[in-house]
Amino acid sequence: PRVRAEGGSAMSGSEQLAPSNPKEKALWDAFQKFDVNNDGKIQQDEFQKLMKSLGSFSAKEISRLFKEADSDSSGTVDWREFIKWICSGAATKTMSADSAASFARLLTRETRDEACFAEQTAGNKQLIAHLKETHQDKSEAEKARDLKRKQLQAKKKATPAEPQAAAKVPENNLDIGDAYTGFRLPLPVTPEGARGLLQHYLMNGDSDPLHPKYVNYLTTQFTQLYRARHPKPVVYTDTPKPGRIIVVGDTHGQLADVCHILYHLGTPTSQNKFLFNGDMVDRGAYGVEVLLILFAFFLSDSECIIIHRGNHENEDMNALDADAGGGFVDEVMRKYGLMAYRRFVSAFKVLSLCSVVEKEIFVVHGGLSRVASMSIDYLNSIDHTEVTAPHPMAVDIKDQVFSDLVWSDPTDQNGKFKSDRGIGIKFGQDITTKFCMQNRLRFVIRSHQVPEDGRGYMKQHEGRCVTIFSASNYCGDGGNYGAVLVLDSQHFPKYEIIEHYAVPLEDMPKMLKMGNGGVTGAKEKQKAVSELATTAKRWERELEKMIIGVIERKPALWAHLVDMSLGNTLMINDWRDLMSEFIEGNHPWPDGAKHWGLVDPQGKIDVGRFLGRWVVNMESDKYSSFLNSAVKHVYEAVVGLDMDLNKTLALFDADGDGTVDVKEVRQVLGMFDLGLTSSQLDRLTGQIFRQASKVARDNGDNEAHVRMNVQEFLGHFTVVYKQASGGAGPELSDFAKEALNAIGGLMMRTPADQLISDMEKAAVKIQKCFRGVSVRKDQKDQKNKDEEGGDKVKTPRTSQQTLAAAGGARRSSTGPFASMSQQASKMVAVFRAMDASGDGILQTDEFVRGLSAIPGIHEMEVKGQALTEDKLMEVAQAIDSFGNANGTINYLEFLQAFESIEKEGSSDLANTLGEDITTVLFRHRLAIRMGCQYLDEEGTGKVRAEDFSTVLNGVNSVLARPERALTTTQISLLVDALKEEVEGDDFVDHDAFLRAFVILDTEQNRAVVKRF
């Protein structure tokens, strides 16, 4: 429901109740999370849905809590009831410790650590649920159309030899043609073939990719065989006799480490058995190659290798950017496409969760569980093949145990604690001891985290918990060793830990040729060589993360600056606190500020400049076209109001002083449906006043409370449209363009007094000839009415009064806007001088007569033609075409005709709305990709245009609450710009669209900081 607020603005129920006290803002944010439909009240179903998502409350407890909060038994909880419920302590009084902690997280601002993954995953799963529900409602006609399209595509793929091709292809012949010159894998896979594949990747990395048909074969065959060989989540295994088991920790797509381990410790055989303990993918660049090597060895001998699932063999983790902990989706999409990734996901679902070696040693990726008495038999009852990982906020006990096994970490304190990662737990020595005693185990081997001392291993809990991490120099900047743990049957249960520091992949063939003599001492030497580069790379990556954080949170930062009227500069400590609150407190913000040169000699930071430095852009002509359309739509919405001059100025200048501040502008723009979200309006007004603050600062004025001349603001706003329209608006003839430029230059060169005087004389003549006594009588009546206070709209001042007031009100001629506002004031004075009727809107004949009165205009020629009244009428009709083409010209149309597109600060302003829209898409890019991939049934990288629209609307309704991320109009314009016709239907290439993001440094000549 919508209600009309005082002043005429349409506000939702929640917006009217928003607290002004900043201390209440955290509680207000929590209230809005509950209030999904934004009506100012929490419905019971809204309360149940959010509380259930926290994962710590039963249905019975949720029902009881709602009744306690609903003090008046109305069936809803309003803001006052919510505040009373929270502040009285009643909310958490009867909650368990876990529930209270979970609820406390809701009441605090979101942090930007690994816990964000849990929240993001929950949102993504809500989006998929939304898309499933939406597609259930597809009409029969739509379903029939989809079926017909698929049949046509299948028919096109068919060949005349299809009956023969349909026959089963022999396993050793995947019908790979002679054109393929890469590695030929013998089928069925043999140990020699697997070693050949390892050698191929050692020599070539991913520069000579394996044929897609081999990839399809390896992933499909591995999934089938591994499921049959290890159907349960727990693998019971023994050390080969004679022989050994080698436990490998996280490798994260670091092919150099895998090659180093397999070449120095021997490749997998039934006597040289390997147990890869999860996290083979993400972050590194070679997750595909690592998995294919392991799959090949397993297919060659199913007894030679066991593969565990880690927290990264998980669709939701894979979808993240590599710098955020993911990257495998991007890697597979780049190398083999969406269908290949889906086959890898199928393989992830069959991977084991843990192993028991000789019934004495427990091996798991993450750690132990929150359940008090955990038996191996209970772990073996978990259904581990339905999903790659449970919902991060699951309430089912077995799902929670599943998550604990791949996410938990040991701690030196006794007990069980909530994990900083947001999923899993921290478990102490007492938990490890109890688990081992109950299951008659000697110790636990796990992986999952880089040891704190930079080694490749870590022993805790009096040796009963051993961490093995195998990715040396983790992510290229970790500076740590890698290690493996060897269990030899001759010495069992004693073990040996072997550390390494792998050389880069391109150097490894040379190192291996040198033999053992060449690798003696290589571990320490290689580490020493890479230390300096590692430190520099780590700092570079830290800066990159900070920049991405700033870009993703930029709309919220702008909104906060506008809302709190903080001005355009902050002391460095205040700036650091702002960054820590909105982005991430653990980043070295002061060091970053110094590195970027943000701090002036007074210890202040120009926040506007800082927020404008890095922008996210899209390298796509189609997207650029969309942005222009979106910006034009906003301006045309204002022009479409077709207000007269007095109403236009009064809207922005509520107190009639000739100036406006950022809050006044924001409030007025929010009164109309301009096709912008609230955050986009914040950004628009913030950028307009950024230039105003700069001028104020240069003149020594108080920039925190800067005010802008009304006409100057409207001039800036008009320039946005002109730039989006290519400089002169729609469908202007060359003659009209040149004439407007010439007339505008003449108007600016002519002294104001002479220009206004001649125009007013012309206006009086027009009034006498065409308006008559009745018009003057109406004006006199209006004046009397204004003097009596009967009308809230101020009487128009004369042109000379306007010129004096607008240029000099509230500031001297040497004030911060003296030079700018004189030109802007001149324009409004000229408009009023032309307006013979005084109705605030120019008739085209008034406009022509006014132009004719400008001294020197009849001596001008445009394209060899004199500016006669007929030619001036042609110009007038061209200006009228900007708006409604109704024979009149309003003030914004007038400004649009004559405003220069070179106005200082306008280039930034013209990009403001586009950047905000792009930033929103960038922030939700992972959810958009996941939604599109869900609907992309054929894995082509394209979805139907209407499905792409459904995904964006799903992001609005699920992930961007309580406010929409994009407006309905913006979604429609975006889809129209991106769609392309394929076989009679409109499609959007979602893969290309989401790969077009690029971060630019505007202070380094728009240098590329990062591509995605």
Side-chain angles (χ1 to χ4, degrees):
R2 307 286 288 180
V3 295
R4 182 66 58 181
E6 185 177 356
S9 65
M11 300 176 66
S12 67
S14 287
E15 288 170 336
Q16 294 184 77
L17 300 171
S20 58
N21 182 356
K23 294 181 180 179
E24 296 177 358
K25 188 162 181 58
L27 290 177
W28 176 250
D29 290 344
F31 181 82
Q32 287 189 310
K33 290 178 183 178
F34 282 96
D35 184 19
V36 176
N37 63 8
N38 207 25
D39 65 354
K41 296 180 179 180
I42 303 172
Q43 310 294 327
Q44 187 167 2
D45 61 334
E46 294 174 332
F47 186 91
Q48 289 174 339
K49 187 173 183 179
L50 184 58
M51 294 294 282
K52 187 176 180 180
S53 72
L54 298 178
S56 300
F57 298 91
S58 66
K60 186 176 181 180
E61 188 176 11
I62 292 173
S63 178
R64 176 180 57 77
L65 291 171
F66 182 82
K67 288 181 180 179
E68 292 175 358
D70 182 19
S71 58
D72 62 0
S73 301
S74 63
T76 61
V77 177
D78 62 23
W79 169 240
R80 291 179 180 83
E81 288 177 309
F82 184 81
I83 283 287
K84 183 178 179 181
W85 182 54
I86 298 297
C87 295
S88 67
T92 57
K93 187 176 181 180
T94 57
M95 291 182 187
S96 66
D98 286 346
S99 297
S102 183
F103 190 75
R105 293 198 306 275
L106 176 70
L107 301 180
T108 57
R109 287 193 178 272
E110 297 178 358
T111 57
R112 302 287 294 175
D113 54 21
E114 275 195 88
C116 290
F117 165 73
E119 297 177 10
Q120 186 175 50
T121 301
N124 290 346
K125 292 186 181 301
Q126 287 181 356
L127 174 60
I128 297 302
H130 171 83
L131 295 177
K132 287 181 179 177
E133 183 178 345
T134 301
H135 270 243
Q136 284 178 351
D137 298 332
K138 289 176 70 172
S139 67
E140 291 301 322
E142 289 177 310
K143 293 177 182 177
R145 185 173 61 181
D146 287 347
L147 179 61
K148 183 177 180 180
R149 178 171 54 83
K150 291 177 182 178
Q151 290 173 340
L152 285 173
Q153 289 178 341
K155 187 175 181 180
K156 281 190 173 184
K157 291 178 181 178
T159 64
E162 185 176 3
Q164 296 177 350
K168 184 176 180 179
V169 178
E171 195 176 56
N172 61 355
N173 179 16
L174 296 180
D175 198 24
I176 296 174
D178 295 336
Y180 173 68
T181 59
F183 178 73
R184 295 272 177 171
L185 180 65
L187 301 180
V189 183
T190 62
E192 293 76 16
R195 287 194 291 271
L197 181 62
L198 172 64
Q199 179 69 14
H200 172 76
Y201 283 140
L202 170 68
M203 302 302 297
N204 300 285
D206 59 359
S207 64
D208 186 7
L210 196 63
H211 195 283
K213 288 188 177 182
Y214 285 130
V215 177
N216 182 13
Y217 174 85
L218 289 172
T219 51
T220 303
Q221 292 297 311
F222 169 82
T223 302
Q224 294 174 2
L225 185 57
Y226 199 91
R227 180 190 287 115
R229 180 67 184 83
H230 301 297
K232 294 289 186 178
V234 182
V235 175
Y236 289 92
T237 187
D238 295 325
T239 55
K241 297 176 181 60
R244 60 185 180 176
I245 290 181
I246 302 168
V247 180
V248 181
D250 300 35
T251 54
H252 282 293
Q254 297 188 191
L255 182 58
D257 286 280
V258 174
C259 290
H260 180 101
I261 292 167
L262 296 183
Y263 274 97
H264 285 93
L265 297 177
T267 55
T269 66
S270 57
Q271 276 70 49
N272 196 49
K273 195 169 187 175
F274 277 81
L275 194 165
F276 276 78
N277 199 25
D279 279 12
M280 287 73 66
V281 301
D282 279 340
R283 297 190 184 271
Y286 301 102
V288 168
E289 289 71 28
V290 169
L291 286 179
L292 294 179
I293 289 169
L294 303 189
F295 292 175
F297 276 108
F298 180 83
L299 292 177
S300 72
D301 180 359
S302 63
E303 292 297 320
C304 75
I305 190 169
I306 298 169
I307 308 176
H308 284 177
R309 195 178 322 185
N311 62 304
H312 282 266
E313 281 69 55
N314 174 343
E315 294 163 278
D316 298 302
M317 285 298 299
N318 298 161
L320 300 176
D321 294 329
D323 290 340
F328 189 59
V329 168
D330 280 330
E331 180 190 349
V332 183
M333 290 289 290
R334 184 176 66 253
K335 294 176 178 178
Y336 292 107
L338 180 57
M339 296 305 290
Y341 175 70
R342 287 174 177 165
R343 286 190 284 271
F344 278 113
V345 168
S346 296
F348 291 164
K349 290 179 180 179
V350 303
L351 296 181
S352 310
L353 297 185
C354 49
S355 292
V356 179
V357 182
E358 299 280 8
K359 299 181 181 180
E360 296 185 45
I361 300 172
F362 183 70
V363 186
V364 66
H365 175 73
L368 303 183
S369 176
R370 67 193 70 193
V371 176
S373 298
M374 181 60 60
S375 69
I376 302 298
D377 288 341
Y378 183 84
L379 297 180
N380 221 8
S381 69
I382 295 174
D383 184 357
H384 71 303
T385 60
E386 285 298 313
V387 294
T388 56
H391 193 292
M393 295 182 179
V395 295
D396 180 80
I397 296 299
K398 286 189 176 181
D399 285 343
Q400 291 179 345
V401 172
F402 188 154
S403 294
D404 292 343
L405 294 176
V406 297
W407 279 96
S408 293
D409 297 293
T411 179
D412 293 333
Q413 289 181 279
N414 281 340
K416 292 177 288 190
F417 308 93
K418 177 172 177 54
S419 173
D420 295 335
R421 299 176 185 265
I423 312 177
I425 64 167
K426 289 182 177 180
F427 59 96
Q429 180 178 332
D430 56 330
I431 305 301
T432 303
T433 301
K434 183 177 179 181
F435 176 77
C436 290
M437 290 180 64
Q438 288 179 340
N439 294 280
R440 298 183 180 182
L441 300 169
R442 290 180 180 272
F443 59 92
V444 174
I445 301 173
R446 44 92 60 181
S447 302
H448 191 44
Q449 63 184 144
V450 183
E452 296 176 359
D453 59 0
R455 311 301 301 186
Y457 69 96
M458 177 171 58
K459 296 181 181 182
Q460 292 170 278
H461 302 171
E462 296 184 351
R464 278 195 152 174
C465 181
V466 182
T467 297
I468 294 296
F469 194 85
S470 300
S472 62
N473 195 24
Y474 184 41
C475 296
D477 60 13
N480 61 289
Y481 289 103
V484 297
L485 185 148
V486 181
L487 292 164
D488 194 299
S489 60
Q490 290 184 340
H491 308 291
F492 189 89
K494 292 183 179 180
Y495 58 83
E496 180 185 10
I497 292 176
I498 302 175
E499 288 188 293
H500 68 272
Y501 198 98
V503 299
L505 185 64
E506 58 271 21
D507 297 333
M508 188 161 289
K510 180 180 177 181
M511 181 68 73
L512 292 174
K513 285 182 181 179
M514 297 169 66
N516 291 332
V519 297
T520 302
K523 177 176 64 175
E524 288 74 16
K525 183 178 179 181
Q526 177 59 31
K527 189 175 189 300
V529 168
S530 66
E531 275 185 352
L532 289 176
T534 292
T535 302
K537 189 171 183 179
R538 186 184 298 124
W539 174 238
E540 181 182 338
R541 185 165 296 185
E542 186 73 26
L543 291 172
E544 192 174 275
K545 287 181 180 179
M546 293 162 72
I547 291 171
I548 292 174
V550 169
I551 288 175
E552 290 185 334
R553 300 296 294 167
K554 194 182 291 188
L557 288 165
W558 274 116
H560 183 72
L561 293 172
V562 171
D563 184 53
M564 304 304 294
S565 297
L566 295 180
N568 210 47
T569 60
L570 292 175
M571 297 301 295
I572 185 169
N573 289 339
D574 295 330
W575 174 83
R576 178 201 62 205
D577 293 343
L578 182 67
M579 296 300 104
S580 297
E581 179 182 3
F582 279 83
I583 302 173
E584 167 58 69
N586 293 327
H587 287 317
W589 292 109
D591 293 338
K594 293 175 184 177
H595 175 82
W596 294 318
L598 301 178
V599 189
D600 68 12
Q602 289 75 41
K604 293 182 177 181
I605 290 179
D606 184 334
V607 184
R609 174 194 161 198
F610 167 69
L611 291 180
R613 175 166 180 175
W614 298 283
V615 298
V616 61
N617 202 353
M618 295 198 81
E619 298 177 322
S620 165
D621 292 338
K622 291 181 178 180
Y623 186 76
S624 299
S625 173
F626 152 69
L627 287 183
N628 283 338
S629 299
V631 172
K632 288 165 62 178
H633 173 80
V634 175
Y635 183 85
E636 288 166 356
V638 176
V639 173
L641 297 173
D642 209 20
M643 298 176 293
D644 63 34
L645 178 61
N646 288 318
K647 290 180 180 178
T648 302
L649 298 179
L651 277 176
F652 293 94
D653 182 16
D655 55 8
D657 68 352
T659 65
V660 290
D661 65 16
V662 64
K663 281 191 172 181
E664 287 175 335
V665 172
R666 173 63 181 83
Q667 183 178 5
V668 173
L669 291 177
M671 293 168 61
F672 303 101
D673 182 11
L674 302 182
L676 294 174
T677 67
S678 177
S679 65
Q680 290 167 2
L681 288 173
D682 288 335
R683 183 72 195 285
L684 173 64
T685 52
Q687 185 64 44
I688 290 171
F689 278 83
R690 178 191 171 194
Q691 178 64 21
S693 296
K694 179 179 182 298
V695 177
R697 183 170 65 257
D698 292 343
N699 287 274
D701 290 352
N702 183 0
E703 59 178 295
H705 302 288
V706 69
R707 299 181 68 84
M708 179 182 282
N709 178 278
V710 177
Q711 291 80 35
E712 185 67 24
F713 166 75
L714 293 175
H716 274 289
F717 193 56
T718 302
V719 169
V720 176
Y721 179 76
K722 290 194 70 173
Q723 290 177 328
S725 303
E731 300 179 1
L732 281 182
S733 66
D734 291 340
F735 175 81
K737 291 178 185 177
E738 192 169 326
L740 285 172
N741 287 333
I743 295 169
L746 180 62
M747 289 167 62
M748 292 301 104
R749 291 192 302 272
T750 304
D753 292 344
Q754 180 182 356
L755 179 67
I756 303 305
S757 175
D758 290 345
M759 284 192 175
E760 286 187 331
K761 289 177 183 178
V764 170
K765 184 180 293 186
I766 296 172
Q767 190 174 13
K768 288 180 178 179
C769 297
F770 296 98
R771 303 298 182 188
V773 180
S774 60
V775 172
R776 294 196 297 276
K777 182 177 182 299
D778 290 341
Q779 289 182 311
K780 184 176 180 181
D781 291 342
Q782 179 66 45
K783 181 178 180 181
N784 293 335
K785 191 174 182 181
D786 292 335
E787 290 174 352
E788 295 169 3
D791 195 332
K792 293 183 180 179
V793 179
K794 298 183 292 293
T795 304
R797 290 172 281 191
T798 67
S799 302
Q800 298 294 343
Q801 289 172 328
T802 300
L803 186 61
R810 298 180 67 87
R811 55 179 55 88
S812 68
S813 60
T814 59
F817 281 96
S819 60
M820 290 193 294
S821 58
Q822 286 173 6
Q823 178 176 335
S825 302
K826 192 175 189 179
M827 295 301 292
V828 73
V830 167
F831 184 91
R832 280 190 165 131
M834 290 181 174
D835 183 15
S837 66
D839 62 0
I841 296 178
L842 297 181
Q843 306 295 320
T844 51
D845 57 352
E846 289 178 323
F847 178 78
V848 171
R849 295 277 182 171
L851 291 183
S852 297
I854 299 176
I857 194 168
H858 295 297
E859 285 74 38
M860 295 180 64
E861 287 190 355
V862 174
K863 290 188 174 294
Q865 303 179 64
L867 292 179
T868 63
E869 288 197 2
D870 288 342
K871 286 298 179 183
L872 291 176
M873 180 58 73
E874 182 180 330
V875 173
Q877 291 170 346
I879 296 174
D880 183 30
S881 70
F882 293 163
N884 298 325
N886 56 4
T888 63
I889 299 172
N890 65 31
Y891 183 59
L892 289 176
E893 290 174 321
F894 180 79
L895 276 183
Q896 182 183 336
F898 294 111
E899 276 295 342
S900 167
I901 65 172
E902 302 300 328
K903 184 184 289 290
E904 183 181 4
S906 296
S907 59
D908 291 335
L909 180 59
N911 293 327
T912 295
L913 291 177
E915 186 196 346
D916 191 86
I917 293 170
T918 309
T919 299
V920 167
L921 291 168
F922 176 73
R923 186 178 184 187
H924 294 298
R925 65 195 182 281
L926 302 180
I928 294 172
R929 176 168 60 187
M930 186 165 286
C932 288
Q933 288 179 349
Y934 170 76
L935 297 178
D936 184 5
E937 298 176 2
E938 299 168 27
T940 61
K942 298 180 180 180
V943 292
R944 287 171 53 190
E946 61 190 71
D947 287 340
F948 188 72
S949 178
T950 299
V951 171
L952 295 181
N953 280 304
V955 170
N956 266 348
S957 62
V958 175
L959 300 182
R961 293 171 178 168
E963 182 190 305
R964 297 171 299 167
L966 299 172
T967 67
T968 303
T969 300
Q970 289 166 358
I971 290 175
S972 178
L973 291 172
L974 177 58
V975 173
D976 285 343
L978 297 179
K979 68 183 181 183
E980 54 188 22
E981 186 174 331
V982 179
E983 298 175 354
D985 208 348
D986 290 330
F987 282 82
V988 170
D989 189 333
H990 64 84
D991 187 51
F993 171 73
L994 293 170
R995 290 185 184 281
F997 285 113
V998 59
I999 293 177
L1000 306 175
D1001 187 340
T1002 62
E1003 295 190 6
Q1004 298 295 325
N1005 199 27
R1006 297 182 72 82
V1008 175
V1009 176
K1010 183 177 178 63
R1011 283 190 167 87
F1012 291 84

